[in-house]
Amino acid sequence: MTKFHPAPEQLSEFAQGALASVESLMISAHCDMCARCQQVVAQQTVLQAEHALMDTQDDPATKTHDFQDDSKLDSMLESITQLPRATPSKTSRSGSRKIIELDGRVFTIPRTLRKYVPFMGNWSSLVGKLWQAPVDVGVSGVANFIYIGQGGSIPEHTHRGTEYTLVINGEFSDGLNHYRKGDFIKMNESDIHAPYSDDISGCLIFSILDQPLHFTAGIARLLNPFSHLFFRY
Amino acid sequence: MLVGIPLEQSNSVIKPKDCASEMSEYIVAVAEERCKRSFARVFSYFAPRLRSYALKQMGNEALAMELVQDTMSNVWQKAHLFNSEKGSPSTWIFTIARNIRFDMLRKLQNRKEDVCSDDLWPVLCEQTADANETSLDEQITLEQIGFMFESLPVKQKAVIEAIYIDGKSQQEVADELSIPLGTVKSRTRLALQRLKGMLNDHD
Ligand SMILES: [Zn+2]
């Protein structure tokens, strides 16, 4: 059972489309795996819609009758009804993949992340039964699939900026908590942890470090002895 | 002004609940008959409301009108994707506007490679229209069906592989194999039935 969810305000802001790209992406991927949060987002969306479109009776913006606006809307209506019916688009999901493989293991990837699987680099083996594959998600930040084999661990580290982690498969602990499939973890500079996995089939996580742009790789390398393993540019 | 299509006053007093079923019917009429009169009703109700939402969000008249136009164009062109069982017209139209706004803000910041709203909220994907077909898929794990998959007839296997492993849409598979969409759908259904049968036997 998923135990770690985004905060209620995060889900509400996600439904409004008000969150930054990286955070939206991770919450969306969490919701793919979490029926509870999916439901919260659906309810929030209904509320937001009512708030945005239905509670406008007393709003001066809709009340004020501006003839110029009316004529703008009239001509807009006319131009829209000249448009042809949309042809089904074929472009949207081509190239997405549902599964990734490592060492004969097959993992099903949540819907939101499937689009990025083709942009995944090769797995590289690191210390301590760790595997890592970088993913180009096109946003500022560093994204990786990380696999922790049974008995594997990641050296203790802090974070530069905010790190979002989603458990795709298996379980791991970090000295603070125990995380399972679907769990959503947001860590920032004040958090220190040392993840390890005792799961017999290991643990696959997806992580994005939402690094402020002014942190260069070079500085990060000097500051964080651990980072050279994970952050390659 | 559009000849023959009376524009109604937007602030007519309709209660939200009555309004939802009334607006649903208009949207269905747009989907089925391309009824301009019905669309004009939907437009005159929602466009001013969208405009006030858009003004608050974008803080700029020109951008706000662009958001209204893009949203209502989608309602006109993709009315067939509206499903009244899944939600009210206002929720559907709001999600379209929210998605367009999300993408507009990123385009304004010149971030072309950024996350796009369709990936987060697939409101207008043809895929979501028949999402119920994938419910079986959620119950069966790939590991479970691995060997059963091998026993499928070659043609069914090709379709299942393309859809469930490569993540292609049924339309894409139809195009690639040069077969009608209906054939892809029936092969998918037959294959899933067969897999389901094997799973039941297996238990
Ligand atoms: Zn959740």
Side-chain angles (χ1 to χ4, degrees):
Chain A
M1 268 293 277
T2 305
K3 232 168 71 187
F4 295 87
H5 308 270
E9 317 82 70
Q10 273 178 300
L11 293 172
S12 163
E13 285 176 34
F14 171 71
Q16 293 170 48
L19 292 180
S21 301
V22 166
E23 196 165 4
S24 299
L25 188 75
M26 293 306 268
I27 290 180
S28 179
H30 170 76
C31 290
D32 292 339
M33 306 168 86
C34 176
R36 171 190 172 277
C37 289
Q38 236 173 63
Q39 182 122 27
V40 174
V41 168
Q43 286 163 351
Q44 282 297 323
T45 307
V46 171
L47 290 176
Q48 300 298 341
E50 272 169 21
H51 178 68
L53 302 181
M54 308 307 273
D55 298 346
T56 50
Q57 298 295 343
D58 302 322
D59 193 324
T62 41
K63 271 241 169 111
T64 323
H65 243 75
D66 183 333
F67 289 107
Q68 211 192 343
D69 273 351
D70 279 354
S71 77
K72 271 189 208 159
L73 288 179
D74 287 347
S75 57
M76 187 191 287
L77 171 62
E78 192 174 352
S79 72
I80 288 174
T81 50
Q82 304 301 315
L83 295 170
R85 183 189 291 270
T87 47
S89 65
K90 297 170 193 168
T91 47
S92 54
R93 300 197 325 123
S94 51
S96 71
R97 287 185 74 90
K98 274 193 172 181
I99 58 167
I100 60 173
E101 284 176 59
L102 170 64
D103 241 8
R105 289 192 177 84
V106 175
F107 302 99
T108 305
I109 302 303
R111 179 192 60 80
T112 307
L113 301 179
R114 285 175 195 166
K115 172 184 162 181
Y116 302 110
V117 175
F119 301 101
M120 192 179 145
N122 290 328
W123 286 106
S124 53
S125 173
L126 309 169
V127 292
K129 299 184 182 175
L130 288 179
W131 294 77
Q132 173 207 260
V135 190
D136 183 3
V137 293
V139 291
S140 60
V142 186
N144 282 288
F145 281 109
I146 297 167
Y147 177 77
I148 313 172
Q150 186 185 16
S153 64
I154 300 179
E156 183 174 274
H157 62 284
T158 58
H159 304 86
R160 305 255 145 222
T162 304
E163 184 189 58
Y164 295 94
T165 302
L166 190 67
V167 182
I168 309 281
N169 202 295
E171 303 180 4
F172 81 92
S173 303
D174 67 353
L176 304 170
N177 291 297
H178 189 74
Y179 306 100
R180 297 179 174 81
K181 180 174 177 169
D183 278 338
F184 172 95
I185 307 143
K186 179 178 177 178
M187 294 245 162
N188 57 40
E189 278 144 51
S190 58
D191 296 307
I192 304 176
H193 70 162
Y196 63 92
S197 178
D198 288 330
D199 196 318
I200 190 152
S201 55
C203 183
L204 178 71
I205 60 183
F206 179 75
S207 117
I208 296 188
L209 190 62
D210 183 10
Q211 230 172 2
L213 284 174
H214 61 266
F215 273 109
T216 68
I219 291 171
R221 279 201 193 99
L222 290 175
L223 289 176
N224 191 343
F226 157 75
S227 66
H228 74 279
L229 294 173
F230 281 89
F231 309 137
R232 292 188 194 145
Y233 290 82
Chain B
M1 191 70 192
L2 215 58
V3 182
I5 301 177
L7 252 189
E8 277 170 34
Q9 287 302 312
S10 58
N11 44 6
S12 53
V13 244
I14 312 174
K15 296 217 174 71
K17 287 271 154 55
D18 306 334
C19 162
S21 59
E22 191 186 335
M23 289 296 151
S24 286
E25 284 166 26
Y26 292 142
I27 295 174
V28 171
V30 172
E32 288 172 358
E33 305 153 38
R34 313 226 354 106
C35 175
K36 291 190 180 184
R37 200 188 162 81
S38 298
F39 182 73
R41 303 259 183 156
V42 177
F43 187 92
S44 65
Y45 185 79
F46 282 107
R49 289 174 157 78
L50 279 169
R51 183 181 155 278
S52 101
Y53 164 74
L55 265 177
K56 272 184 228 147
Q57 297 290 325
M58 311 301 290
N60 168 314
E61 170 78 21
L63 289 172
M65 289 306 262
E66 192 184 328
L67 178 53
V68 177
Q69 175 138 17
D70 284 0
T71 305
M72 293 311 296
S73 299
N74 272 298
V75 174
W76 169 250
Q77 296 190 289
K78 297 179 179 176
H80 62 285
L81 296 176
F82 172 68
N83 180 348
S84 62
E85 283 165 21
K86 280 195 191 165
S88 70
S90 64
T91 304
W92 187 59
I93 291 172
F94 167 75
T95 55
I96 296 172
R98 176 209 49 204
N99 282 17
I100 292 170
R101 176 187 149 271
F102 187 90
D103 293 337
M104 269 172 86
L105 288 175
R106 275 149 189 78
K107 216 183 282 168
L108 286 172
Q109 295 168 328
N110 246 326
R111 286 156 58 176
K112 288 186 195 107
E113 302 297 309
D114 213 319
V115 173
C116 92
S117 63
D118 277 351
D119 302 331
L120 305 174
W121 310 281
V123 179
L124 291 174
C125 289
E126 304 283 338
Q127 216 69 19
T128 53
D130 40 39
N132 50 342
E133 284 184 33
T134 60
S135 58
L136 180 62
D137 166 61
E138 306 306 327
Q139 295 157 24
I140 306 173
T141 66
L142 268 171
E143 291 90 323
Q144 279 176 296
I145 64 167
F147 76 98
M148 298 172 181
F149 174 71
E150 290 304 322
S151 70
L152 287 174
V154 177
K155 284 177 178 176
Q156 291 179 13
K157 202 156 88 177
V159 169
I160 291 293
E161 194 168 9
I163 294 172
Y164 288 86
I165 298 178
D166 297 339
K168 290 177 182 154
S169 73
Q170 292 184 323
Q171 186 63 55
E172 282 170 338
V173 177
D175 292 346
E176 265 171 36
L177 301 176
S178 304
I179 53 174
L181 181 60
T183 310
V184 174
K185 288 193 172 176
S186 64
R187 278 183 197 169
T188 308
R189 199 173 51 242
L190 285 174
L192 290 179
Q193 271 168 8
R194 191 185 274 250
L195 288 172
K196 198 177 181 186
M198 284 191 276
L199 271 179
N200 290 340
D201 293 345
H202 189 69
D203 285 342

